Amino acid sequence: MGATGLESGHRFGLKLAELSRLWRQALDARLRPLGLSQARWAALIHLSAYPDGLTQSRLALRVGIRDSTLVPQLDALARDGLIERRDSPGDRRAKTVRLTPAALPLLKEIDRVGRELRQELTKDIDPQHLDTCLHVFNAIRNRLEGLNEDNG
């Protein structure tokens, strides 16, 4: 039996989840010698996109782990001088997490390792195909963000 649109869509979601997991595992293995767990490097990467910081709960959502799981990772990053926590201006109960200048050399190394992995994994893929994938991913992400806003 040939693949219908529904079957293709089902396989697409499964393959996308599998690809994401395998990619993160490969990056995790390459960053482990730097003393970084997946939660730690993911937190640093996400924080680098927000110079004013993120609340711990928003950071946990972006990293894809529970607040309670993220807290020990943030404690370790703070002990290493890579992040700082401040009271959130809008909510005294919340903490805003920000990178410190000490994190910049480590972020450069994370970027270098990530770039090498991307180049290795995509070296034989037509750039137009990658652009098409990005277009599809962005369309799906936008729809998911709309659903999450409607449900949130």
Side-chain angles (χ1 to χ4, degrees), residues 26-42 44-45 73 76-77 80 82 102-117:
L27 186 56
D28 192 48
R30 291 179 185 206
L31 292 174
R32 200 170 300 124
L34 298 176
L36 294 172
S37 66
Q38 193 171 118
R40 290 182 76 182
W41 60 256
L44 292 171
I45 289 170
Q73 303 304 322
L77 290 170
D80 292 344
L82 301 173
L104 297 180
L106 187 55
L107 280 166
K108 286 181 182 177
E109 187 65 9
I110 292 168
D111 183 61
R112 182 192 63 76
V113 171
R115 189 174 44 255
E116 286 176 2
L117 179 61

Side-chain angles (χ1 to χ4, degrees), residues 11-23:
R11 285 195 326 259
F12 178 84
L14 291 174
K15 289 294 182 184
L16 182 60
E18 179 184 29
L19 175 63
S20 176
R21 179 182 53 79
L22 291 171
W23 194 303

Side-chain angles (χ1 to χ4, degrees), residues 23-120:
W23 194 303
R24 287 174 71 112
Q25 284 176 347
L27 186 56
D28 192 48
R30 291 179 185 206
L31 292 174
R32 200 170 300 124
L34 298 176
L36 294 172
S37 66
Q38 193 171 118
R40 290 182 76 182
W41 60 256
L44 292 171
I45 289 170
H46 286 287
L47 286 171
S48 71
Y50 294 89
D52 293 332
L54 289 169
T55 63
Q56 288 182 183
S57 58
R58 286 190 61 109
L59 180 57
L61 280 171
R62 293 198 176 276
V63 172
I65 60 177
R66 297 176 197 249
D67 259 354
S68 60
T69 305
L70 182 63
V71 168
Q73 303 304 322
L74 294 178
D75 290 343
L77 290 170
R79 274 193 307 275
D80 292 344
L82 301 173
I83 64 157
E84 63 182 8
R85 291 177 173 123
R86 295 184 182 170
D87 290 333
S88 180
D91 182 354
R92 289 186 180 188
R93 296 168 295 166
K95 294 287 185 190
T96 299
V97 182
R98 296 179 186 179
L99 293 176
T100 66
L104 297 180
L106 187 55
L107 280 166
K108 286 181 182 177
E109 187 65 9
I110 292 168
D111 183 61
R112 182 192 63 76
V113 171
R115 189 174 44 255
E116 286 176 2
L117 179 61
R118 280 190 308 276
Q119 289 171 347
E120 180 182 326

